[in-house]
Amino acid sequence: MAQPPQIARKVRLETARYVLRTVEAGDATAGWSQWLLDPAAARWLNAAPRAASLDEIRGYIATFDSMKSHLIGIFEKDTGRLIGIHSIYVDWPRSEYLINVMVGESDARNQGARSEARPAIHQFFMEELGLEASRATVIAGHPSLAGMQRWGWAVEHKSLKPSASGGAPVEILHMKLTRDAWRRAFRGTDG
Ligand SMILES: CC(C)(COP(=O)(O)OP(=O)(O)OC[C@H]1O[C@@H](n2cnc3c(N)ncnc32)[C@H](O)[C@@H]1OP(=O)(O)O)[C@@H](O)C(=O)NCCC(=O)NCCS
């Protein structure tokens, strides 16, 4: 049974092109403040497009304790630029973690960042921390769904949520990835 840590555990993982590490207050950037202005990103996150102030971002970073919640940035090795984040909330009694991924820098999307980060992130939470499942919510029709299913994610149930843009309600898929399904998918790679 996975045990909750008593002290903060900062994360640092490496992939070929990225460093995945706990985000610190000093990592707030002007670029990040623009991420939610992008209509495509806002739509898929069901958020109203808007800029965030640096103070707001620092406040958001400060809500993560690196015990029950982890904010893990995706930093380009070549440039040091922060291009995206994983916000992860651990439910220790249930041995699960809820994961949200955003590649905020639009020129860094569809370059394989999330694909490269995925094995490192789930291996850390499933195998290193010993958690038994991951959860995520995805808006129906999201282009990531086929890829998620290939990695072992399954739809558990669906719900409707008011649309942030004021249109028709948005269908939310509640997805689950068990550790067994993850291990099968991971073994199928050369990871
Ligand atoms: C969705 C999101 C997190 C994906 O991150 P990303 O880094 O752009 O994704 P990737 O580039 O790794 O993968 C995108 C596709 O390109 C493919 N790809 C993988 N490596 C690649 C590479 N080196 N070059 C180009 N394409 C690649 C992937 O296979 C993937 O297809 P799949 O989804 O069918 O598996 C990101 O685009 C994003 O934040 N978008 C806006 C907000 C959003 O939609 N958030 C998610 C809510 S669920």
Side-chain angles (χ1 to χ4, degrees):
M1 179 73 167
Q3 294 298 320
Q6 303 303 311
I7 52 164
R9 175 156 183 187
K10 299 292 168 91
V11 178
R12 187 187 169 91
L13 306 166
E14 269 194 47
T15 68
R17 293 179 295 157
Y18 305 99
V19 171
L20 312 173
R21 67 157 175 83
T22 299
V23 174
E24 310 288 352
D27 293 318
T29 59
W32 186 345
S33 64
Q34 306 297 304
W35 288 356
L36 275 183
L37 265 182
D38 179 337
R43 176 184 164 222
W44 288 118
L45 297 167
N46 195 28
R50 63 179 190 90
S53 69
L54 284 180
D55 273 352
E56 209 178 320
I57 295 171
R58 288 187 200 108
Y60 175 68
I61 295 170
T63 63
F64 291 83
D65 65 5
S66 294
M67 291 187 279
K68 286 204 278 194
S69 54
H70 292 267
L71 185 60
I72 302 177
I74 308 173
F75 295 84
E76 290 173 336
K77 275 189 184 169
D78 284 355
T79 64
R81 180 172 69 143
L82 173 65
I83 59 162
I85 48 171
H86 299 80
S87 55
I88 295 174
Y89 300 90
V90 183
D91 182 337
W92 287 96
R94 285 178 193 266
S95 197
E96 292 177 352
Y97 56 101
L98 173 68
I99 183 163
N100 309 291
V101 191
M102 179 179 196
V103 175
E105 296 294 337
S106 54
D107 67 320
R109 285 195 206 125
N110 298 310
Q111 307 292 318
R114 190 262 321 264
S115 306
E116 204 172 301
R118 178 184 270 137
I121 293 284
H122 289 297
Q123 284 298 95
F124 179 78
F125 283 89
M126 301 261 191
E127 307 296 357
E128 178 88 16
L129 296 189
L131 297 164
E132 289 165 29
S134 183
R135 290 187 183 274
T137 55
V138 182
I139 294 181
H142 193 283
S144 294
L145 279 164
M148 288 179 76
Q149 278 159 343
R150 280 199 303 279
W151 277 101
W153 288 92
V155 179
E156 286 249 293
H157 64 278
K158 302 176 183 181
S159 64
L160 287 177
K161 225 178 152 179
S163 162
S165 64
V170 174
E171 188 179 30
I172 309 286
L173 308 181
H174 299 255
M175 318 273 299
K176 184 173 181 183
L177 174 67
T178 65
R179 190 165 59 194
D180 285 345
W182 169 255
R183 285 175 175 165
R184 279 195 296 277
F186 185 71
R187 273 200 302 270
T189 70
D190 54 9

